[in-house]
Amino acid sequence: MTNNDKKQIQLRYYKIPKNVPFLALIGEKWVQNYGRDIDYLHFHNYLEIGYCYDGTGSLILGNEEHRYVGGCFSVIPKKCPHTTNSDPDTVSSWEYLFIDIEEALDNAYHNNMRHINQTVIPLINARAYLCPEAEKPKLGQKIRNVLDIMRRKEAFYIEEATAEVTALLIHIARENKDNELSNEPPPY
């Protein structure tokens, strides 16, 4: 492969608000035709979790293409090349969470960074995947719950969403540990 044949990969950098370990991208802005006129992969500086409410298309994770439909969610570790492409002439509705794993878990584990860095974070970052909520309903519900909390913005919503994000991260680590024990190959 020559340099001219290499696909472009772009960093999409997000800034998380101070004193909050995540950023929620919600609302009408995320109802669109994804991937139109884009022929490159990108990666992020944080863990990306996406929930597709409606639409169809492909999620490219590394070198693998996965079909999505409404009711799917994605878990994509930071620095993992990926892109989302809606089917031609369709609109997809996604919402996203970008999570600073270290900050979220440091709050939960109160300075036990050795355990976090050696056990929990590697499990969370072990694989990227796209999954129908019907296959992992508890995980899908946790993702939608955080997004709903952020949308409603009731009293103490940041504190509630932060606690839910921590529970979500632990659930992802547990899911990845279970897959590791069952020798399920990583999707990318």
Side-chain angles (χ1 to χ4, degrees), residues 6 11 25 44 71-72 74 84-85 89 111 127 144 167 178:
K6 290 183 181 177
L11 167 64
L25 302 180
H44 301 285
C72 287
S74 60
T84 305
N85 298 309
D89 301 318
N111 301 318
R127 62 195 199 112
R144 286 188 297 109
D178 291 347

Side-chain angles (χ1 to χ4, degrees), residues 43-93:
F43 64 95
H44 301 285
N45 54 320
Y46 295 110
L47 172 72
E48 174 190 314
I49 297 175
Y51 192 91
C52 178
Y53 295 95
D54 192 36
T56 58
S58 296
L59 176 63
I60 311 299
L61 297 171
N63 294 322
E64 295 186 9
E65 182 174 339
H66 304 270
R67 293 289 301 161
Y68 72 79
V69 297
C72 287
F73 62 85
S74 60
V75 177
I76 305 173
K78 71 180 179 179
K79 298 182 183 176
C80 174
H82 65 282
T83 195
T84 305
N85 298 309
S86 300
D87 286 340
D89 301 318
T90 66
V91 172
S92 296
S93 175

Side-chain angles (χ1 to χ4, degrees), residues 25-188:
L25 302 180
I26 56 179
E28 292 299 314
K29 179 179 180 186
W30 306 103
V31 178
Q32 60 180 282
N33 181 283
Y34 285 86
R36 186 180 38 193
D37 301 324
I38 296 176
D39 63 351
Y40 58 86
L41 300 176
H42 66 272
F43 64 95
H44 301 285
N45 54 320
Y46 295 110
L47 172 72
E48 174 190 314
I49 297 175
Y51 192 91
C52 178
Y53 295 95
D54 192 36
T56 58
S58 296
L59 176 63
I60 311 299
L61 297 171
N63 294 322
E64 295 186 9
E65 182 174 339
H66 304 270
R67 293 289 301 161
Y68 72 79
V69 297
C72 287
F73 62 85
S74 60
V75 177
I76 305 173
K78 71 180 179 179
K79 298 182 183 176
C80 174
H82 65 282
T83 195
T84 305
N85 298 309
S86 300
D87 286 340
D89 301 318
T90 66
V91 172
S92 296
S93 175
W94 284 83
E95 290 185 327
Y96 298 95
L97 295 169
F98 288 91
I99 303 172
D100 182 336
I101 300 169
E102 292 84 359
E103 184 178 340
L105 294 178
D106 186 41
N107 292 337
Y109 282 88
H110 300 292
N111 301 318
N112 189 352
M113 289 305 290
R114 182 175 181 193
H115 175 68
I116 293 168
N117 287 325
Q118 292 180 351
T119 308
V120 182
I121 291 174
L123 284 170
I124 294 167
N125 288 323
R127 62 195 199 112
Y129 57 93
L130 176 70
C131 183
E133 184 175 355
E135 287 183 20
K136 298 185 186 299
K138 289 181 183 177
L139 189 51
Q141 178 59 47
K142 285 182 185 305
I143 295 166
R144 286 188 297 109
N145 192 37
V146 174
L147 294 167
D148 288 343
I149 291 166
M150 294 305 294
R151 192 176 299 99
R152 288 191 314 262
K153 294 185 177 186
E154 297 171 340
F156 306 108
Y157 73 98
I158 295 293
E159 293 83 354
E160 181 183 11
T162 299
E164 292 289 332
V165 163
T166 302
L168 172 61
L169 292 174
I170 297 305
H171 195 109
I172 291 168
R174 184 179 307 118
E175 288 281 340
N176 287 346
K177 179 71 170 168
D178 291 347
N179 288 328
E180 177 184 277
L181 294 174
S182 71
N183 294 321
E184 180 181 310
Y188 86 98

